Amino acid sequence: MEILRSLSWIQKSLLWLGHLANSWDEWVGADRLMKLTEENVLKQQELDKKQGVDKNVKSGRSAHTRPKSSADVKAEKEDTKTNVVKTKKRKTESVAEKEGASSEKSVKIQIPSTLRKQLVDDWDFVNQQDKLVKLPRSPTVDEILSKYLDYRSKKENTTSDSLAEILKGIRCYFDKALPVMLLYKKERKQFQDVVLDDMSPSNIYGAEHLLRLFVKLPELLAYVSIEEETLTRLQQKLTDFLKFLQKNQSTFFLSTYDSIKGVEGKGKGKDD
């Protein structure tokens, strides 16, 4: 029951990934700028004067400050040294706490050697040979996850609610993370051409891009609040899923990609 609650929270926590793709710096339009008139210049001068007064008040300065004695100067120096030491100590403690938390929450997902080779070939196809995965893929990410659920259900002769929840989490991770961190630069135009309206990437992309997610998962899970025991079980299930991908590697993965010119600009249902 605990793993179900934790994984449901994981699924909801992924929403922040969507915000990364849609975040832009705000530009101030000309309509929000003050016109250069005598009235506005006077207003600006008044604001400058007011800010000058505020700064003096905050810094404790006064036009009639009495001269400092040697004792005052010595006391100020001692206070400065003390504050510097305290600041350094707080920074050191803060860094130590972060490093400690990071080491305690080390998420490890062992990717089989043949799948690591698949990742290398995948990178080479796209970045060195200017080739892309022809979309939509078959089987899709969604179909692969369903096949794995059927596989485990038949093997264990039962349907696990926790496993179904984990697969929902993987699907959610994939859909949110793909446009943000799973695409190479040369694949972005294809994504814009193919993933239209309310389409889910998990219904268009396949094993090639799903495998890339498992490289990023340790980094993503490190920021999710999960109990150590639950995290261990989660890692075991993710490792088992990777073994399933490895077992079906020749069926799920492409052995070669198409040239960028051959697939770029084609939408779903226009491949043939």
Side-chain angles (χ1 to χ4, degrees), residues 210-222:
L210 176 61
L211 184 57
R212 296 181 196 177
L213 174 66
F214 282 81
V215 178
K216 296 289 186 179
L217 269 180
E219 175 187 341
L220 295 173
L221 290 174

Side-chain angles (χ1 to χ4, degrees), residues 125-144:
F125 277 133
V126 178
N127 295 287
Q128 298 298 314
Q129 301 183 38
D130 290 333
K131 294 183 177 182
L132 301 178
V133 172
K134 193 174 182 179
L135 302 175
R137 282 286 288 115
S138 181
T140 63
V141 169
D142 196 50
E143 290 170 343
I144 292 172

Side-chain angles (χ1 to χ4, degrees), residues 54-162:
D54 290 343
K55 287 178 182 177
N56 287 334
V57 171
K58 289 179 181 178
S59 61
R61 295 174 182 172
S62 172
H64 303 287
T65 305
R66 64 179 177 80
K68 296 178 181 178
S69 65
S70 58
D72 291 335
V73 173
K74 185 177 179 181
E76 285 185 0
K77 287 183 179 180
E78 291 297 327
D79 289 341
T80 302
K81 288 181 181 180
T82 303
N83 290 333
V84 169
V85 171
K86 287 181 179 179
T87 301
K88 287 183 177 180
K89 184 178 179 182
R90 282 197 296 268
K91 286 183 178 179
T92 303
E93 291 174 349
S94 177
V95 170
E97 287 176 3
K98 289 180 180 179
E99 290 179 350
S102 177
S103 61
E104 290 176 5
K105 189 68 177 298
S106 178
V107 183
K108 297 180 181 179
I109 300 176
Q110 187 65 37
I111 299 178
S113 59
T114 57
L115 292 184
R116 291 201 299 272
K117 173 64 166 54
Q118 187 78 46
L119 285 166
V120 173
D121 292 342
D122 174 54
W123 179 90
D124 184 71
F125 277 133
V126 178
N127 295 287
Q128 298 298 314
Q129 301 183 38
D130 290 333
K131 294 183 177 182
L132 301 178
V133 172
K134 193 174 182 179
L135 302 175
R137 282 286 288 115
S138 181
T140 63
V141 169
D142 196 50
E143 290 170 343
I144 292 172
L145 296 175
S146 296
K147 288 177 183 291
Y148 177 68
L149 183 60
D150 291 341
Y151 162 75
R152 293 306 309 178
S153 297
K154 290 177 182 178
K155 191 170 183 178
E156 299 173 3
N157 199 28
T158 182
T159 301
S160 171
D161 290 338
S162 62

Side-chain angles (χ1 to χ4, degrees), residues 6-19 141-142 145 163-182 199-203 210 213-214 217 220-221 224 238:
S6 298
L7 292 170
S8 294
W9 192 91
I10 293 175
Q11 187 174 347
K12 293 176 182 177
S13 72
L14 297 174
L15 295 177
W16 67 271
L17 279 170
H19 296 307
V141 169
D142 196 50
L145 296 175
L163 178 59
E165 196 68 26
I166 289 174
L167 297 180
K168 283 182 182 178
I170 293 176
R171 184 184 294 107
C172 187
Y173 264 117
F174 182 81
D175 286 339
K176 297 295 183 183
L178 179 77
V180 179
M181 59 176 65
L182 301 184
M199 292 180 178
S200 296
S202 56
N203 289 322
L210 176 61
L213 174 66
F214 282 81
L217 269 180
L220 295 173
L221 290 174
V224 180
L238 293 175

